[in-house]
């Protein structure tokens, strides 16, 4: 059958992969339209990034590949490590403490569901 995957990537997002992963786990395997609604009302910061990427992937599926929004579902979604920004903060007794400002790369794959 003519089933197709649509991939979308977002890199260098300013949120740790662990926090973004929690949002990814919630929407993995969902219908794309349903996932957009769930993400809209999720209180997590990461939900904003996932929502934006999912909207973009759906738009690409529609405009570039002539696929219907209603038959798309999230087959793969995960957050990988991006480059960590190393920063320092003043500590006790004149010392300094290192801080790692973590970033993420988000990968999303939409697949077409077979029309039953």
């Amino acid at each position: 059958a003519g089933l197709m995957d649509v991939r979308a990537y977002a890199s260098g997002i300013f949120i740790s992969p662990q926090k973004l992963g929690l949002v990814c786990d919630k929407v993995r395997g969902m219908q794309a339209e349903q996932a957009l609604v769930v993400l809209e009302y999720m209180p997590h910061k990461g939900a904003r990034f996932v929502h934006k990427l999912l909207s973009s992937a759906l738009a690409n599926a529609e405009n570039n590949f002539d696929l219907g929004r209603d038959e798309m579902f999230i087959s793969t979604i995960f957050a990988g490590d991006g480059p960590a920004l190393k920063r320092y903060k003043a500590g006790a007794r004149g010392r300094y403490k290192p801080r790692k400002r973590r970033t993420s790369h988000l990968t999303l794959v939409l697949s077409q569901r077979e029309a039953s």
Side-chain angles (χ1 to χ4, degrees):
L3 298 179
M4 189 158 191
D5 288 349
V6 177
R7 293 171 179 276
Y9 305 98
S11 56
I13 301 172
F14 280 104
I15 185 173
S16 75
Q18 187 177 10
K19 289 176 187 174
L20 203 53
L22 294 172
V23 178
C24 293
D25 293 342
K26 288 272 193 296
V27 296
R28 190 175 289 118
M30 265 190 197
Q31 286 291 116
E33 288 289 344
Q34 184 190 356
L36 282 174
V37 175
V38 169
L39 289 165
E40 193 82 46
Y41 296 103
M42 218 181 247
H44 307 287
K45 175 184 174 181
R48 242 179 26 234
F49 299 119
V50 177
H51 186 278
K52 190 172 181 180
L53 187 65
L54 180 55
S55 302
S56 172
L58 276 173
N60 289 344
E62 276 185 302
N63 296 315
N64 302 345
F65 305 109
D66 294 318
L67 302 172
R69 288 174 78 96
D70 45 317
E71 60 205 28
M72 302 306 284
F73 75 101
I74 300 171
S75 60
T76 311
I77 182 170
F78 62 90
D81 285 341
L85 302 176
K86 291 165 185 75
R87 299 288 181 262
Y88 299 98
K89 188 175 180 190
R93 303 170 80 182
R95 294 185 173 87
Y96 62 87
K97 307 284 187 173
R99 296 278 188 269
K100 275 182 124 177
R101 184 99 163 78
R102 297 183 188 279
T103 63
S104 307
H105 297 325
L106 187 59
T107 303
L108 172 71
V109 181
L110 289 177
S111 295
Q112 216 175 357
R113 243 199 241 295
E114 293 97 8
S116 53

